[in-house]
Amino acid sequence: MSREPSAPPVQGNTLQILSIVCFTFLGFMSIGIPMAVLPGLIHHDLGFSTLVAGLVIGLQYLVTLLVRPFSCRVIDSAGPKPALVYGLIGCALGGLLMLLATLWPALPLLSLLALVLSRLVLGAAHSVLGASAIAWGIGQVGSAGTARVISWNGIASYGAIGLGAPLGVWLVERYGLPWMGASVLLIALCGLALAWRKVGVPVVVGERLGFMSVLGRVSPYGLTMALGTLGYGTIAAFITLYYDSRGWSWAAYAMTAFGLSFIAARLLFAQAIDRLGGYRVGIACLLVEGGGLLLLWAAPGPLSAMLGAGLSGFGFSLVFPALGVEAVKSTPASNRGAAIGAYSLFLDLALGVAGPLIGLLIGSHGFRSIFLVCALASFLGLGLTLALQYRSTRQPSEAETELATVEVD
């Protein structure tokens, strides 16, 4: 099996990482900008139920999940840069469809159809966007920088979501609904202009495992991460309607609290994964996230709910990279794109299920109950992480097995 070239020193490579994950930031603005506007647009302006709103929002993540196997092959075979360019093109098209949807307010079914098409296109775009940026970043700084690349990529993605939510509200209130889609279109076009001129990295040569084989290796880590992601998906899809149901203001700033706390935890504690290991960091993060979701469930007012959202973001921040580092170790370097994509598939699954599932739960038990369910899911993920940590002490990782084979040879 072909070995990956020696990695350059991690120290001093932050600017290299940032030069790649900035494209993730630009692409994920297509999630953040409509996030606080879309639920109200579908439910209040177009007159559809919360279940329909949840289905439309969750549709994007379901499509991302279904397209993952194909996008993984594109990343590993064509290279991360072409795959990322395809993703940005999809974000631009999704923004254009959102723009068209807001031009037909008197035709709710036609507007809803345009929004559905937009979510489909954006789902396909995001199936390749984040994973290709991670693969590109690791290709630049070497496998020793995996945790840093994943962490900075997460800062870019959730930072875009956290900043995009109030930006979308401000644009709509100041200039009107069409600016929700127009801003997404313009930002994606800027990303394309920057990415087009940037030099890519070589494709890693080596054994190509089948996608189902890679999926089987990373699924324990992905399932655990998905349980922690359910809380994020619920906050993202329903925090604005939850605030409305309680008669509170500042819903968009709850998402900002989530995003800023997420970024702060990544900046302060990303190196903890290298020092303490993915399992220990994952255990601590799931515990904090579960506590934040419990606070959201019991919150007596908007400020305490905002604090709960912030704690949830702080806890969730390192769940993905902590378990992702362990997942990437389970496969050869030549399957890095497939490993990242297969692992991210569980993120898509959690976000895709969150919309319709939580929408049904709201109809039967009200808005408050959804955060209690998500807190229990986080604690279940905590238990599974403990089980994975115990299993890791009894069997070697792919990287350890590969190193042992080289030493024997």
Side-chain angles (χ1 to χ4, degrees), residues 6-34:
S6 300
V10 176
Q11 185 70 28
N13 283 331
T14 300
L15 289 179
Q16 286 183 284
I17 296 172
L18 292 177
S19 71
I20 301 300
V21 302
C22 69
F23 299 114
T24 298
F25 179 86
L26 296 175
F28 272 71
M29 288 296 282
S30 63
I31 294 178
I33 288 174

Side-chain angles (χ1 to χ4, degrees), residues 69 100 149 181 189 199 281 286 296 339 344 378:
L100 294 176
V149 174
L189 290 176
V199 178
V281 173
L286 286 166
L296 266 171
S344 299
S378 292

Side-chain angles (χ1 to χ4, degrees), residues 303-381:
L303 292 179
S304 55
M306 195 178 301
L307 176 61
L311 279 175
S312 298
F314 196 89
F316 178 65
S317 63
L318 295 178
V319 172
F320 187 94
L323 296 174
V325 166
E326 304 298 335
V328 170
K329 287 180 183 178
S330 68
T331 62
S334 54
N335 294 268
R336 181 183 296 139
I340 296 167
Y343 175 67
S344 299
L345 185 148
F346 289 89
L347 176 69
D348 309 328
L349 178 63
L351 296 175
V353 166
L357 180 64
I358 299 301
L360 285 173
L361 188 63
I362 290 170
S364 58
H365 293 86
F367 281 95
R368 286 186 63 193
S369 63
I370 62 180
F371 298 109
L372 177 60
V373 170
C374 292
L376 294 175
S378 292
F379 293 135
L380 178 58

Side-chain angles (χ1 to χ4, degrees), residues 201-227:
V201 294
V203 175
V204 178
V205 180
E207 177 190 6
R208 303 291 183 195
L209 300 176
F211 182 77
M212 294 307 296
S213 176
V214 175
L215 181 63
R217 295 188 184 206
V218 305
S219 59
Y221 312 97
L223 178 60
T224 306
M225 179 267 296
L227 290 168

